[in-house]
Amino acid sequence: MKTRQASNLQLRLLTNVVIVYMLMAFAWWSVLLFTKNRDAFEAKAEVMRISMAAQRLVQNEAEFRQTPPYLELTRKYKRQEWMIMGEAIVFVISLVIGVYMINRGYLREVNAARQRRNFLLSITHELKSPLASIRLVMDTLRKRELTQDQIKQLSRNGLKETERLHALVEDLLLSAKLETAYQPHLEITDLSRLLQDCLQRVQDKNPDRPMIWNGPAEPVEIAVDRTGMTSVVLNLLENAVKYSPEDSPVQLQLQANEKNVQILVADVGIGIPDQEKKQVFEKFYRVGNEDTRQTKGTGLGLYIVEQIVRAHGGLIQIRDNQPQGTIFDLTLPCTTEKIP
Ligand code: ADP
C-alpha cells in the first residue's frame, strides 16, 4: 500500500515537473517568436525604406512611416503579434484545464482508495468481533457447568452480537439495493408516532441516556416508506448516541407546516468539521482514519440515510450545535401521494 502510494506520488511529481518544463519551454519559445517576428519586421521595413529612398519616393524617416506599404507592413506585423499571443493564451488555458482535470481525477482516486481501505478494515473488524464473541459464548456453554442465570446472561450476549451482525448485513444489502433499484413504498403514516417509537427503541438500548422529544401533540400524517424512514431516524439517533458523551442529552424534534416537515436530531458530542460535513454522506466515509478511530462503524449509515431521504424528495443537512455537537436537519415534503 505504502509503496503504491509512494510511486503514485513520484508519478505525480514527475508529471508536475514535465508540465512546469513545458510551460517554461513554451514561454521561452513565445518570447523567441516575438523577437524573431520583430527582427523580421524591422529588416523588411529597413529594406523598404532604403529602396524608397533610392527611388527618391521619401525624403526622411517621418515621411517613410506615413507611406501605405509601410503602414501595411506594420498592420501585418501587429496581426502576427496578436496571433502569437492568442495561441499562447489558448495553450496555457488548455494546459491549466488539463492539469486541473488530471489532479481532480487523481484526488478522487486517492479518496476512493482510502475509503475502500477504511471500509475493508472496519468491515473486517465489525464482522470479526461479533463472530469471536458468539464463538466464545458457544464454547463456554459447551464446556462449562453453568447455572440457569449464567446461561441466560450468555445467551443474551450471544443474541446481541447476532443482532449486530444481522444489522451489518442488512445495511450492506440495503446500500447495494439503494444503488440499483430502490423505490420507496409510500404509506400514509403518523410521523410523530414513528419518531417517538424510534426514540423509544434507542432509549431501551441506552436506558441511562437522557432522550428529549420535542414535537406536536397531534398526529403528523404524511406519505413515507415506513421501513426506510425508521432506518433513517434510527441511524441518526444511534449516531447521536455513539458520537457524544455517555450522559449527554440527545434531542429529537419534529415541526410541520403545510408544505414541509422538519426533523432535527441534535447532540452535544464531538461534532463534524465543516470540510467533512458533505463527505460523511459518501459510502464508507468515516471521519478520521481507521488507526485513530475509537468508535465502531462502517460509514454506511449516513449514505443510506441520504439516499432514502432523497428518494422521498427531501433534503438533509448538517449544522453545528451550540456550544458543541451536531444537528442533522432533515426536511421532507408534506406529500400524501406517491412521489412520481
Ligand atoms: P458509522 O457511524 O458507521 O461510521 P455513518 O455513515 O453513520 O457511519 O457516519 C459517517 C461518519 O460521520 C462517522 O464515522 C462519524 O465520523 C461521522 N458522524 C456521524 N454522525 C455523527 C454525529 N452525530 N456526531 C459526530 N460525528 C458523526
Side-chain angles (χ1 to χ4, degrees):
M1 193 75 197
K2 284 255 153 59
T3 17
R4 192 177 323 148
Q5 267 176 5
S7 80
N8 270 347
L9 241 142
Q10 273 174 1
L11 201 68
R12 206 168 164 219
L13 199 76
L14 193 72
T15 317
N16 285 338
V17 168
V18 170
I19 287 166
V20 169
Y21 170 76
M22 272 168 70
L23 272 174
M24 281 165 65
F26 184 73
W28 188 75
W29 280 108
S30 301
V31 171
L32 203 71
L33 212 59
F34 262 105
T35 326
K36 293 286 167 211
N37 192 34
R38 199 187 53 227
D39 289 351
F41 163 73
E42 281 172 2
K44 272 188 192 165
E46 188 58 17
V47 170
M48 196 182 272
R49 193 183 63 78
I50 292 169
S51 131
M52 282 186 168
Q55 293 171 41
R56 306 215 176 276
L57 293 174
V58 291
Q59 304 300 321
N60 53 34
E61 182 77 24
E63 233 176 77
F64 166 66
R65 283 178 191 274
Q66 296 306 319
T67 58
Y70 177 77
L71 290 176
E72 175 62 25
L73 191 69
T74 316
R75 230 185 350 264
K76 256 192 192 166
Y77 165 64
K78 288 282 170 212
R79 206 173 46 230
Q80 268 164 355
E81 247 186 4
W82 279 113
M83 270 170 61
I84 298 171
M85 213 130 74
E87 282 288 331
I89 290 170
V90 169
F91 177 82
V92 170
I93 290 178
S94 331
L95 200 70
V96 168
I97 293 177
V99 171
Y100 169 74
M101 305 278 264
I102 290 172
N103 268 322
R104 203 175 57 164
Y106 171 80
L107 288 178
R108 275 199 189 145
E109 265 307 304
V110 168
N111 236 338
R114 189 176 73 115
Q115 279 175 29
R116 277 196 297 272
R117 177 170 165 265
N118 269 349
F119 170 66
L120 271 181
L121 286 171
S122 55
I123 203 107
T124 315
H125 178 263
E126 289 289 297
L127 281 172
K128 269 170 91 177
S129 71
L131 277 177
S133 306
I134 294 168
R135 195 167 160 189
L136 192 73
V137 166
M138 299 309 234
D139 232 28
T140 319
L141 284 175
R142 189 169 61 97
K143 285 187 188 152
R144 297 251 180 95
E145 285 293 323
L146 299 166
T147 65
Q148 208 57 29
D149 275 353
Q150 285 172 321
I151 294 175
K152 265 192 188 154
Q153 181 60 40
L154 272 177
S155 353
R156 250 199 307 272
N157 289 349
L159 216 58
K160 220 165 131 188
E161 295 302 332
T162 328
E163 270 167 21
R164 207 171 124 195
L165 268 181
H166 180 74
L168 174 64
V169 174
E170 287 285 304
D171 269 1
L172 282 170
L173 287 176
L174 184 56
S175 70
K177 194 169 146 194
L178 284 168
E179 261 170 23
T180 51
Y182 175 71
Q183 274 295 323
H185 173 62
L186 299 178
E187 288 171 290
I188 301 292
T189 308
D190 175 6
L191 200 61
S192 173
R193 184 73 271 134
L194 186 145
L195 294 194
Q196 289 179 71
D197 287 348
C198 291
L199 195 70
Q200 192 55 51
R201 273 167 76 174
V202 181
Q203 178 80 81
D204 290 345
K205 276 201 214 163
N206 306 273
D208 301 328
R209 180 66 81 125
M211 299 266 177
I212 304 162
W213 163 246
N214 206 331
E218 67 277 8
V220 175
E221 300 214 312
I222 65 165
V224 291
D225 179 325
R226 284 181 200 154
T227 323
M229 205 40 67
T230 304
S231 167
V232 165
V233 181
L234 283 178
N235 255 307
L236 295 178
L237 286 172
E238 274 159 11
N239 275 353
V241 168
K242 197 157 69 165
Y243 299 106
S244 63
E246 261 175 30
D247 52 355
S248 68
V250 168
Q251 190 179 355
L252 178 61
Q253 184 173 319
L254 172 67
Q255 280 176 343
N257 60 35
E258 272 160 29
K259 280 189 175 165
N260 298 312
V261 293
Q262 185 191 37
I263 301 169
L264 299 180
V265 180
D267 65 62
V268 287
I270 57 174
I272 301 176
D274 280 347
Q275 64 274 20
E276 292 182 275
K277 284 192 169 72
K278 279 218 162 72
Q279 285 168 301
V280 289
F281 291 110
E282 288 169 15
K283 207 173 182 184
F284 306 135
Y285 191 90
R286 304 194 73 210
V287 176
N289 67 54
E290 207 54 43
D291 308 324
T292 57
R293 228 175 266 126
Q294 304 291 320
T295 51
K296 295 169 188 164
T298 54
L300 276 174
L302 289 182
Y303 169 76
I304 292 174
V305 166
E306 195 190 31
Q307 297 302 313
I308 294 177
V309 170
R310 277 204 193 158
H312 281 79
L315 183 75
I316 183 160
Q317 283 170 321
I318 299 178
R319 287 191 271 124
D320 288 330
N321 201 0
Q322 294 307 329
Q324 66 179 76
T326 315
I327 301 177
F328 280 87
D329 180 344
L330 199 162
T331 311
L332 293 174
C334 263
T335 174
T336 44
E337 294 157 29
K338 201 170 169 19
I339 297 166

